[in-house]
Amino acid sequence: MTRHLVMTGTDTGIGKTVVAAGLAAALGTGYWKPVQSGLDGETDSEVAARLGRLPPGRVLPEAWRLATPASPHLAAEIDGVAIDPDALDPPPAAGPLVIEGAGGVLVPLTRQVVFADLFARWQWPVVLCARTGLGTINHSLLSLEALQARRVPVAGIVFIGEARPDSEAVITTRGGVPHLGRLPRLDPLDADTLAAAIRQGIDLARLERIRG
């Protein structure tokens, strides 16, 4: 059975899409964003395609595209759309995918189901993206507890931002998960700088082994 890699975060807007794009490019996978909320400007799929230099065939269409920029449960209600979590599975693909959730672990997909519930059903390894700023220990450990309580397999954590060795060590040690590396803030942020940073800062060999 194909083992996909699932990306989630400790919050929204922390750089999860950037990491997902870099990993899809480096691991030679496809990319899939099941639910896109907000269609003004670049969507996450378009950002991933640009930053990962992913051809159209490696970026799968979203299952739901919601115009309202809000949590999926609310965006769907405003848009008059009914999301069926039980039907939310990757479409046929030529190989493994990097699958990106929306926002954080407990973001509601519907009024009854959060993304962590979906990850628990899928049972594919999850990469938690965590910023390194103030508050990250609390946010990261709470996110890990929510995943582990649902028996979601956690591949490890990718940190985003300036190095914070003590915070990173506390999170990975107390959370009992691997440190997969760190992606610094990139300026400029483009396909070349991202590819170099992923090669230098992320444990791609471990991710290959975890993905199987």
Side-chain angles (χ1 to χ4, degrees), residues 13-15 18 131-132 160-162 182-189:
I14 62 171
V18 175
R131 59 183 179 81
T132 59
I160 303 168
E162 295 182 11
R182 183 179 60 85
L183 185 72
R185 296 292 178 181
L186 302 175
D187 186 14
L189 171 58

Side-chain angles (χ1 to χ4, degrees), residues 126-211:
V126 168
V127 173
L128 179 64
C129 293
R131 59 183 179 81
T132 59
L134 190 64
T136 195
I137 293 175
N138 182 64
H139 295 162
S140 299
L141 291 178
L142 285 173
S143 297
L144 287 172
E145 283 197 4
L147 292 169
Q148 292 163 347
R150 292 167 172 79
R151 301 180 186 272
V152 175
V154 179
I157 300 183
V158 170
F159 291 95
I160 303 168
E162 295 182 11
R164 299 280 188 249
D166 185 74
S167 295
E168 295 169 36
V170 168
I171 291 165
T172 52
T173 300
R174 288 192 62 88
V177 296
H179 190 310
L180 296 174
R182 183 179 60 85
L183 185 72
R185 296 292 178 181
L186 302 175
D187 186 14
L189 171 58
D190 57 34
D192 291 329
T193 60
L194 177 58
I198 290 285
R199 286 195 305 269
Q200 294 167 10
I202 306 300
D203 191 345
L204 295 173
R206 181 187 286 270
L207 282 172
E208 287 279 20
R209 292 194 299 271
I210 290 170
R211 197 186 64 185

Side-chain angles (χ1 to χ4, degrees), residues 96-107:
L97 299 169
V98 167
I99 301 174
E100 183 185 353
V105 170
L106 295 182
V107 165

Side-chain angles (χ1 to χ4, degrees), residues 51-146:
L51 291 179
R53 290 200 179 103
L54 304 177
R58 281 173 57 189
V59 179
L60 277 62
E62 302 93 335
W64 280 278
R65 289 170 57 87
L66 306 170
T68 302
S71 175
H73 79 287
L74 181 59
E77 291 175 2
I78 293 172
D79 289 7
V81 174
I83 294 177
D84 180 2
D86 292 333
L88 197 54
D89 288 307
L97 299 169
V98 167
I99 301 174
E100 183 185 353
V105 170
L106 295 182
V107 165
L109 182 59
T110 68
R111 293 282 172 180
Q112 294 76 36
V113 176
V114 298
F115 271 88
D117 298 326
L118 184 63
F119 303 157
R121 177 168 68 81
W122 283 346
Q123 283 295 297
W124 292 313
V126 168
V127 173
L128 179 64
C129 293
R131 59 183 179 81
T132 59
L134 190 64
T136 195
I137 293 175
N138 182 64
H139 295 162
S140 299
L141 291 178
L142 285 173
S143 297
L144 287 172
E145 283 197 4

